[in-house]
Structure formats: structure tokens, C-alpha cells
Amino acid sequence: MGRTYFGTDGIRGRANGRKLNAAIAMKVGQAAGRHFLRGAHKHRVVIGKDTRLSGYMMENALVAGFTSVGMDVIMTGPLPTPAVALLTREMRADIGVMISASHNPYEDNGIKLFGPDGFKLSDEDEEAIEAAMAVEQPLAEGDAIGRARRIEDARGRYIHAVKQSLPEDVRLDGLKIVVDCANGAAYNVTPTAIWELGAEVVAMGVEPNGLNINDGVGSTALDAIQQRVVDEGADLGIALDGDADRLIVIDEKGQKVDGDQIMALIGSRWAKDGKLRGGGVVATVMSNLGLERFLAGEGLELVRTKVGDRYVLEAMKAGGYNVGGEQSGHMILLDHATTGDGTVAALQVLAALVRSGKPASEMLHLFDPVPQLLKNVRYEGGDPLEAPSVQKVIAAANGELDGKGRLVIRKSGTEPLIRVMAEGDDEAQVNRLVDEICAAVEAAA
């Protein structure tokens, strides 16, 4: 069936817009609640959020929806997405909800759903919930109506959990780390966890006001942390996004280290330590060809999926892998978390830094990326990729690359954008092909 609400990562859109408002959030709560009313036990849902102003509205609407169909609600307040997944499983909840639009600006918001196992929902579950949103749901009556309560120790529980992911023989004493929390969900927990492990922490992006999430800070706005790392003489910078499921690292020289290099580091280190399962790493079609070549040189496989960390996770579970992620910084380490966790991934990088004794710029540069270019083309409606003129240009580009590179063209799952990516050993050719395809898409849009 077609999807009206759910995209590649739950529901996302402009807060109080057509796709996402209080009325729709209440419908999500009712539909998802009814979908997970299974068994005779008392049912409960864990709801967390990031720091957006609209989070209050969305939280209250979801609480109304869930309680109206008979589910008890546990609210955590601002907390990273992986913490909600963790608490859903630990508290034996039937469903978990994270209210966040991740790296988007504050005007947007979103709803991410987790099953009782702490994993994101399958396409089938999301389709069933979306179908249920289109019809009126049976409401609970009398004493079957749900209750709601807020727990005060959610942050402490998550801090304790992420610290357990650091090997017991590793201390962070002597390290100076800049931690940028994007004025988002991790503004309290991540600096605290890293400080408790012994590091000197320089925190930034830790003054949320409801309107400044991802605004000039965080994993999608790196200028500030790159300069801060250099100015502070720090050993490393850690940049998270608004809901802290994504990580970008900055080395001591102020250089960006993306998810591909982080996966190369963790995958190869875990392989040497006998901890890597599946014989390789899972990533998406957007990961650089250089990562694939590096892993092959280590005797490891790179398994590619379509874009979206949930699809990475599905492939990991199906193939028995425990390391996966995205170039954009989602790192899924199934030994420690059921979804992308920027803080857990950062601690693995810090452990490698301590054990290697090398500067971050050396330790985190394991391969030279193949020239790669990604551009986005906004469109208003229709499907520009179906236009014969666009298909002709794409076919010609594929013919030119012919084994010397890759072309990935897709619609964004969260915004009205066509994403055009090419990579290959000839940078000039890559740039030209991307520009030609983008021009064709713009003309057809």
C-alpha cells in the first residue's frame, strides 16, 4: 500500500503542518496502541523526546492517544533515541516512541516507533498502523483507560548503560574531548557519561531553548566544533545530531571523520579482537567505495542496503552481523544497542584512541575515500525520475562509469528531494556526471 505518513525513519514533517500535528499524533497513539494491545498483561508505552518546542504538544497528544485505548504511558522527558529503545526493552514496555526530527531544524518534528524488543518497527507494522489511522479506533472505557506518569531517573539509567559499553580496562583520563550535543536530546547525558569515565569535557550545544536544536551546532553543522577542537587543543571532537543517534568525529587537527571511517575503525578493530560477527560490516549504498576496498583488504565483506538505518539493521539481524551504519554517522553496534547510538559509538572510538596511543588524525584515517559527490534537487510533485529525458542521462552516466565507479539516485524518504550521488576514481568525471543528472532532474521537475 502507499504511505501517507511513514517514511524511511518514522513520521517526519513540519510541526502543526498537514502531515504532523496534534490530531495526527493522537491518531498515531491510538492506532499504534491498539496494534500492540496483545496478551492479557497491563500494556505500557515509553515516550521520549528531544528539545524542540513542539515536543510538548506532540507528547501530550500521544499520551492522549495511547491512554484513550488503554495503554499506560511512561514519559522520560528529553532523552536520546537509543535511550528510548533501551528503556522500552528494559521496562518490558509494548512499544517505545521517540518524538524527534533528528537533524532537521526546530520547526520540524517526527515520531519514531520501537517494538517491545527495542528495535524499530518493520514495514509491515508501520503499514498496519497507518491503515489503522484511517479508521476510528475502539476506545477504552472506565478503569481500562490508561494512566500516565513521568520517571525522573531515565537519564541516569542511560548514562549507566552507555558506560558499560566501554571496555573495563579503558579509562579516559588525560583526554580532552569536545562534545557537541546540537542543543538536542543528549545535552545532559553524553557530556556527563564521558566526564564520569575520566575525560576532560568541553561541552557545546548544551543550552537548548526549544528553538536552537541543530542551529549552527551538531553533526550537520561542523564549523563550530572543528574550530573549537583546534582552539582548545583537544584530542577529539564528538558531534551528535538532535536525537543523538548519529555521530561525526573531529580529529585533533579539526578534520571531519565520517561514518565510513568510523565503521572501518570499529569493524577492523573488532575483527582483530575476535568480536566481529558475520565476517564484515553492513552499510548503505551511500557508503564510499574506499570503505569497501579497505574492508576487502582486511578480509572482510561490505554488505550494502538501501538508505535508512532500519534497513541496515534488518540486514544485520538477518546475516548475523554486529557492526553496521551509515556514512552520515548512524552507527549500530548490536553488542551494545538495538539502534543507532552516537554516544556508544563515540566510546568505541575513544577506546581505540586510548589503546593505540596514536593521534586521532592517524588512527581514524584508514583509507582514502574515492571522489564522491552528492547533490540534492528539490521538486514539487510528480516523479522526475520517471521522465524519459532523465532516464536517458542516467543511462549514459552508468555507461561512462562502467565498473569504474557507482551511481546512486534516489528520492529522500523524509523531504521532497531527489538525491544524486556519484563516485569514481576520476573526480572531474564524477562532478560532471552529477551536474548533468541534476540539470536533467531540475528540467523535468
Side-chain angles (χ1 to χ4, degrees):
M1 60 172 285
R3 288 171 171 244
T4 301
Y5 298 107
F6 285 93
T8 57
D9 197 11
I11 299 171
R12 193 177 302 184
R14 184 60 56 100
N16 265 349
R18 177 190 61 81
K19 185 178 178 180
L20 192 66
N21 52 51
I24 289 171
M26 188 170 74
K27 286 184 178 180
V28 172
Q30 291 175 329
R34 290 293 304 179
H35 185 68
F36 281 93
L37 284 176
R38 305 167 181 173
H41 62 278
K42 184 61 178 174
H43 296 85
R44 58 169 53 171
V45 54
V46 174
I47 300 180
K49 62 182 180 178
D50 64 22
T51 57
R52 295 164 207 271
L53 179 62
S54 59
Y56 295 99
M57 172 187 73
M58 301 295 295
E59 181 183 55
N60 288 327
L62 283 161
V63 169
F66 280 112
T67 55
S68 73
V69 297
M71 269 203 167
D72 286 349
V73 177
I74 299 167
M75 294 171 285
T76 71
L79 205 64
T81 288
V84 173
L86 170 75
L87 290 174
T88 299
R89 187 171 59 176
E90 285 197 348
M91 301 187 76
R92 308 301 191 267
D94 299 275
I95 189 169
V97 181
M98 178 64 182
I99 304 167
S100 176
S102 190
H103 60 279
N104 288 26
Y106 87 90
E107 294 94 343
D108 294 341
N109 216 325
I111 300 172
K112 301 181 182 183
L113 301 176
F114 296 90
D117 55 4
F119 291 106
K120 289 183 179 179
L121 299 189
S122 66
D123 286 339
E124 292 74 21
D125 279 326
E126 288 186 347
E127 287 168 4
I129 291 168
E130 181 151 327
M133 289 171 62
V135 298
E136 189 170 338
Q137 295 298 306
L139 302 181
E141 296 182 3
D143 64 359
I145 295 172
R147 303 173 184 268
R149 62 177 291 183
R150 190 174 298 275
I151 58 173
E152 303 300 330
D153 62 344
R155 292 176 181 175
R157 295 187 191 197
Y158 177 65
I159 290 170
H160 176 73
V162 297
K163 288 195 302 180
Q164 299 299 337
S165 70
L166 191 73
E168 290 184 2
D169 63 316
V170 175
R171 297 180 59 91
L172 304 184
D173 302 65
L175 291 181
K176 187 175 187 179
I177 312 298
V178 178
V179 181
D180 182 350
C181 297
N183 290 318
Y187 76 95
N188 176 279
V189 293
T190 301
T192 300
I194 294 174
W195 173 80
E196 287 185 5
L197 290 166
E200 177 185 351
V201 173
V202 178
M204 55 186 292
V206 291
E207 298 179 349
N209 61 16
L211 309 178
N212 61 358
I213 189 170
N214 301 312
D215 185 10
V217 287
S219 63
T220 53
L222 297 172
D223 289 349
I225 187 173
Q226 287 175 305
Q227 188 61 53
R228 190 70 177 272
V229 167
V230 173
D231 290 347
E232 294 281 350
D235 297 286
L236 198 75
I238 293 166
L240 305 173
D241 65 343
D243 66 336
D245 65 352
R246 180 184 301 199
L247 166 72
I248 296 294
V249 170
I250 306 301
D251 70 22
E252 84 283 0
K253 297 180 180 179
Q255 299 173 127
K256 171 186 173 180
V257 180
D258 68 12
D260 285 346
Q261 295 282 2
I262 297 170
M263 280 187 281
L265 173 70
I266 296 175
S268 60
R269 292 289 174 129
W270 282 22
K272 289 181 174 64
D273 293 341
K275 294 169 51 180
L276 188 70
R277 298 198 305 271
V281 171
V282 180
T284 75
V285 293
M286 302 302 290
S287 277
N288 195 274
L289 187 58
L291 172 62
E292 187 172 341
R293 292 172 177 173
F294 168 78
L295 291 174
E298 298 287 308
L300 303 174
E301 179 185 21
L302 178 65
V303 177
R304 292 186 184 271
T305 73
K306 60 183 178 179
V307 172
D309 62 322
R310 56 186 296 207
Y311 302 114
V312 171
L313 177 60
E314 287 174 5
M316 292 174 69
K317 292 168 68 177
Y321 300 89
N322 60 344
V323 175
E326 295 188 280
Q327 185 187 67
S328 59
H330 289 115
M331 296 292 116
I332 304 175
L333 306 177
L334 285 183
D335 288 3
H336 305 295
T338 57
T339 189
D341 192 324
T343 306
V344 165
L347 291 179
Q348 294 300 310
V349 172
L350 288 170
L353 186 68
V354 169
R355 286 173 165 169
S356 73
K358 298 177 180 178
S361 57
E362 182 179 346
M363 182 195 71
L364 284 162
H365 186 83
L366 295 176
F367 65 88
D368 292 323
V370 170
Q372 185 184 81
L373 180 63
L374 169 66
K375 288 189 175 181
N376 298 320
V377 181
R378 188 168 293 274
Y379 66 100
E380 298 301 325
D383 189 353
L385 296 182
E386 292 297 319
S389 57
V390 175
Q391 292 183 359
K392 181 179 179 180
V393 174
I394 292 172
N398 274 318
E400 265 198 65
L401 289 172
D402 191 25
K404 297 176 293 185
R406 295 190 311 123
L407 192 64
V408 179
I409 302 167
R410 65 180 185 89
K411 290 181 180 178
S412 167
T414 57
E415 302 174 82
L417 298 173
I418 302 293
R419 303 196 190 278
V420 180
M421 188 276 280
E423 66 178 356
D425 294 318
D426 185 337
E427 184 172 7
Q429 180 189 46
V430 165
N431 293 343
R432 175 176 55 80
L433 293 177
V434 168
D435 287 342
E436 289 175 356
I437 296 169
C438 286
V441 172
E442 287 174 348

